[in-house]
Amino acid sequence: MAHSNGNSHLFGSRIAIRLFAVLLLAWFAAPEAHAQAVNCSDFTNGIIDGDFVSSPTNVNIDRNCTIRNFPEGPLTELIANISFFTAGGNSSNGVPVLVIFDNVFHSGQMSCATELDNKIWFVNGASTQVQEKCQNLLIPVEKIDKRNPPGDVATVGVPFTYRLVIPVLFDAATGTVIDFEGSLNDIHSVVVTDDLNATGVDLTYVSHEVTWETSGAAIPHTFSNAGGQLTFTLDPNVIIPATEQIYIDLTVVLEDTPTNSVGTQFINTAKWEFGREIGGIFYQPLPGEWGISDPITIGGPELVVTKTGPATLGSTLNLGEWGTFTIDIQNVGTTDAWNARIFDKLPRFGMCDTTPEILSAQVFEADGVTPVVGKGPLVQGADFQFDYRDAPSCWMQLTMLSTAATIGAGQRLIISYRTRLDAGVVDGASLTNIVSAFLWCNASNANRDRVCYRPEPFYSDGTPG
């Protein structure tokens, strides 16, 4: 009996456990089931958030409603058919409503034609139905215009600056900016966030400024940096008047990590919210259209060297005559080359007795003829250092020192020098010369975080003849 009662107790416990599991499963499934056909009023403050509920099949707009966080993707996008509640008027109780779409990719249907008093605020997403069929309800929205550094190129260790221009006016129907000079509305309670970790590269905050576009004066605000999550909050009493703009100049730097390899592209997104009037009613917070930068490419300098001798390569040089040689160093990379070191291994038993004389050195444009503005002829000792070792070493080296000696992307540093054959050179000998750029950097030596490059091998097989 005791044994049988024990089994009955255990059997009863199993039933209870199974019943609890079924109830628990039903509780977890409830939001999914609830989300199939919904009213906006079913949700707190009328917010339907894809981070917490799956896509409904139907949404009835029966109050002011915010639909957000249904980004593009087969498992995340909003597939619902959306309609306005029409009993008793165009909207709930005959009162116009505002529908906010924020970060929504909508692939369902939406009825818009008769609800002329309602308004749609559409940002950071896409919807063929809303943008094509509901244009009469779409409101121009405020956007951040996020601008890259010149050339859309950045290099490791060298700070660069984004400029956030706030606001510009954006047409959600066409996806274009319709006014780059500001908004037609006063906006305030501005909060901007910028997640540096979302770029896919290793970016670090350096500094920032928040100023008025017209006066350049600083704007009161608070700032926080939580591990790369940057937040700029304008003081509550700061109102950006219609047609006025502010600048947030954000300076960051790429870290020297394997992630930040040359050629990698990345974008940066600034998100924000603010308050403004719509149809005489004040709304806060309103999500703004994000400021998404154009892609920036991680670049670096890359030098290629050629050398020519008297008249043409391979020509003859007689004893006692001066021969003029030209070293052409072109930067085929995407950023400035600083402090380049040029190594010229002269032919031993052929050109070691005479110290070479530097005739000229200057940075030119890519054509090798047009001088770069601001970069005149280089002065030995000030703009570059010259070193020479005679036999048995038999080499010379030039080290670039100044800004005038930097080689910009596409530019050429052209060095001309002359020297003579050794007195004991064998008549008819073929002499081989090797010249190489064996070191250069992506910033001046004032930047302790700069990256320097050394080619492998140290120099190539040279120029025979």
Side-chain angles (χ1 to χ4, degrees), residues 204-412:
T204 298
Y205 166 83
V206 176
S207 64
H208 76 275
E209 291 183 340
V210 183
T211 57
W212 292 106
E213 186 270 336
T214 51
S215 68
I219 298 175
H221 68 283
T222 58
F223 169 75
S224 66
N225 179 3
Q229 175 72 34
L230 312 181
T231 303
F232 308 84
T233 305
L234 270 59
D235 283 6
N237 61 341
V238 174
I239 298 175
I240 305 177
T243 71
E244 175 65 287
Q245 293 174 309
I246 69 169
Y247 294 154
I248 298 179
D249 289 322
L250 172 59
T251 301
V252 295
V253 67
L254 289 160
E255 298 297 329
D256 189 7
T257 65
T259 298
N260 294 344
S261 59
V262 171
T264 299
Q265 286 194 325
F266 62 96
I267 62 173
N268 179 248
T269 301
K271 303 179 180 182
W272 67 314
E273 63 180 37
F274 54 91
R276 62 161 266 201
E277 285 189 359
I278 298 175
I281 302 173
F282 181 77
Y283 293 91
Q284 181 190 348
L286 284 169
E289 182 77 14
W290 299 339
I292 303 175
S293 71
D294 289 333
I296 288 181
T297 302
I298 299 179
E302 183 179 353
L303 300 186
V304 173
V305 182
T306 57
K307 182 175 182 179
T308 55
T312 59
L313 186 65
S315 64
T316 59
L317 183 63
N318 297 320
L319 288 174
E321 294 180 350
W322 288 98
T324 299
F325 298 83
T326 300
I327 304 174
D328 184 333
I329 307 102
Q330 184 171 26
N331 182 359
V332 297
T334 52
T335 62
D336 291 351
W338 286 76
N339 304 129
R341 295 185 183 182
I342 313 304
F343 179 85
D344 195 336
K345 181 68 172 175
L346 298 168
R348 192 177 178 186
F349 309 116
M351 285 186 177
C352 291
D353 295 344
T354 303
T355 301
E357 296 180 8
I358 306 299
L359 301 177
S360 65
Q362 188 170 354
V363 177
F364 295 87
E365 298 289 1
D367 59 12
V369 176
T370 306
V372 175
V373 176
K375 296 181 179 180
L378 304 182
V379 178
Q380 184 172 327
D383 297 310
F384 69 92
Q385 176 181 322
F386 172 75
D387 296 292
Y388 177 71
R389 299 290 185 272
D390 57 14
S393 299
C394 201
W395 56 257
M396 72 173 185
Q397 178 178 298
L398 291 88
T399 303
M400 301 301 112
L401 304 174
S402 68
T403 301
T406 61
I407 313 170
Q411 296 175 0
R412 298 176 183 268

Side-chain angles (χ1 to χ4, degrees), residues 1 7 25 30 68 150 165 167 180 264 287 305 312 338 391 418 444 463:
M1 270 313 272
N7 284 342
L25 180 61
R68 67 189 183 195
V165 181
F180 280 98
T264 299
V305 182
T312 59
W338 286 76
R418 68 175 189 169
S444 73
T463 305

